Amino acid sequence: MENHTTVTEFLLLGIPHTAGLENVLFVVFLTLYVLTLLGNLLILLAILSSSSLHTPMYFFLGNLSVFDVFFPSVSSPKMMLYLMSHDHRISYQGCVTQLFFFHFLGCTECLLYTVMAYDRFAAICHPLRYTTIMSGRVCSSLTAGAWVGSSVHASVLTFFTFSLPYCGPNQVANFFCDIPVVLCLACADTSLAQTVSLINVGVVSFVCFLLILMSYTRIVVSILQIRSSEGRRRAFSTCSAHLTSILLFYGPVMLIYLQPGPNHQLESVVLVFSNIVTPSLNPLIYSLRNKEVKSALRKVLPHRV
């Protein structure tokens, strides 16, 4: 270790096998990023401006829109900057910040999906007690718990990742700093950090997925007991958008963190999808099939828009 120097910056290698496509990728990613910001801000505007949307379901949807604004902002601006200027450098502190906020916001979104599944369970399985079960205090407590729990989760992962010495090489085989691609650059045994990250991410994802599965199992049973076909259709329609978002969220997580060995090309493609594409799809998923959101937007936006 005496013959090595401490790394003060990292080089982001970007997306593999995309040399010569920088301008095209810049336009595509910038378009998706702008659409993500615009779509989620419109949903927030609709929820805040319409008193009919001041319900637990839209309270959690508003929180999800906030995180869909910040989540792509962790990596997209830096990625578009080096696509435009070919400067792939990121400071050590910047890498730490990226990793922390990526897992903080990712865990918060995971917990929010779980809370939203519980909200749908309470609405469909216990409609007469719904307002009591999902009171304003309960909704605020669940949201605050998601924030606090996610900050602890991200702090543990960041501490174990960057408590290791980094003395070179400093080339990160991705377009932003994440645990798998950063740990392989450490100048020490990474087995403890890898085990902690695998258990931490795995336990949080598995427990949330199990709770969502339990909620929707009860929901399906309750819906099948509804006699009218119109009632069953309406009940399923209120859950379809949430289920679509869950599949788009959990698919990339399982592909990246549960694969047996490292595959940087697969990781880059999956992360581009989850970091940039999915947040731009959520506003479409929740608004195009939601008459209440579209009606609220018609009231607050000019007729031409």
Side-chain angles (χ1 to χ4, degrees):
M1 290 295 295
E2 293 178 358
N3 296 327
H4 296 278
T5 58
T6 302
V7 168
T8 58
E9 65 180 17
F10 292 95
L11 295 178
L12 301 173
L13 298 184
I15 306 170
H17 311 299
T18 57
L21 299 174
E22 288 83 2
N23 293 335
V24 175
L25 290 176
F26 174 79
V27 172
V28 171
F29 293 152
L30 178 61
T31 302
L32 289 173
Y33 185 59
V34 171
L35 289 175
T36 299
L37 298 181
L38 181 62
N40 285 289
L41 289 175
L42 283 175
I43 288 182
L44 279 174
L45 176 63
I47 294 173
L48 293 174
S49 61
S50 177
S51 58
S52 63
L53 300 183
H54 293 173
T55 62
M57 182 179 74
Y58 291 106
F59 173 76
F60 295 126
L61 178 57
N63 277 272
L64 183 64
S65 296
V66 170
F67 290 110
D68 278 338
V69 168
F70 288 113
F71 190 61
S73 301
V74 172
S75 58
S76 294
K78 184 65 178 178
M79 180 177 60
M80 288 186 288
L81 181 63
Y82 76 65
L83 284 173
M84 185 172 57
S85 64
H86 303 286
D87 184 4
H88 290 209
R89 293 176 298 174
I90 183 172
S91 66
Y92 183 90
Q93 293 78 8
C95 192
V96 174
T97 303
Q98 268 196 344
L99 191 145
F100 173 82
F101 279 103
F102 175 74
H103 286 277
F104 167 65
L105 294 171
C107 181
T108 305
E109 193 163 11
C110 180
L111 294 174
L112 275 176
Y113 282 133
T114 308
V115 172
M116 291 171 75
Y118 176 71
D119 172 69
R120 292 298 83 208
F121 160 75
I124 294 174
C125 299
H126 302 285
L128 299 179
R129 298 169 50 209
Y130 175 65
T131 54
T132 303
I133 296 173
M134 300 302 295
S135 63
R137 183 176 180 181
V138 171
C139 293
S140 300
S141 299
L142 290 173
T143 304
W147 278 79
V148 175
S150 299
S151 64
V152 173
H153 166 82
S155 297
V156 170
L157 294 178
T158 306
F159 171 78
F160 276 94
T161 301
F162 289 100
S163 61
L164 298 170
Y166 291 89
C167 49
N170 66 339
Q171 295 180 334
V172 176
N174 211 325
F175 61 90
F176 77 107
C177 294
D178 194 16
I179 294 173
V181 290
V182 172
L183 277 182
C184 64
L185 304 177
C187 305
D189 182 19
T190 62
S191 57
L192 177 60
Q194 288 177 337
T195 302
V196 170
S197 64
L198 181 63
I199 293 175
N200 205 331
V201 174
V203 167
V204 171
S205 302
F206 178 75
V207 170
C208 289
F209 185 77
L210 185 62
L211 291 173
I212 292 172
L213 185 63
M214 292 170 59
S215 295
Y216 273 99
T217 301
R218 294 287 304 277
I219 288 172
V220 170
V221 172
S222 297
I223 290 176
L224 292 177
Q225 292 175 352
I226 299 175
R227 295 182 179 181
S228 66
S229 58
E230 177 64 19
R232 288 195 298 269
R233 188 192 64 80
R234 291 184 61 186
F236 273 119
S237 66
T238 61
C239 302
S240 59
H242 185 230
L243 282 173
T244 304
S245 295
I246 287 173
L247 292 175
L248 291 174
F249 176 80
Y250 275 99
V253 172
M254 293 179 179
L255 283 174
I256 294 174
Y257 293 100
L258 301 182
Q259 60 179 328
N263 187 334
H264 297 316
Q265 185 172 357
L266 175 63
E267 289 175 9
S268 296
V269 173
V270 172
L271 285 171
V272 166
F273 183 82
S274 62
N275 287 21
I276 301 173
V277 179
T278 301
S280 67
L281 294 177
N282 276 342
L284 300 177
I285 293 170
Y286 282 103
S287 62
L288 285 182
R289 300 187 62 184
N290 193 310
K291 294 180 180 179
E292 293 177 319
V293 173
K294 289 191 288 186
S295 175
L297 286 175
R298 290 192 189 100
K299 293 178 180 178
V300 298
L301 294 178
H303 179 67
R304 291 181 180 179
V305 177

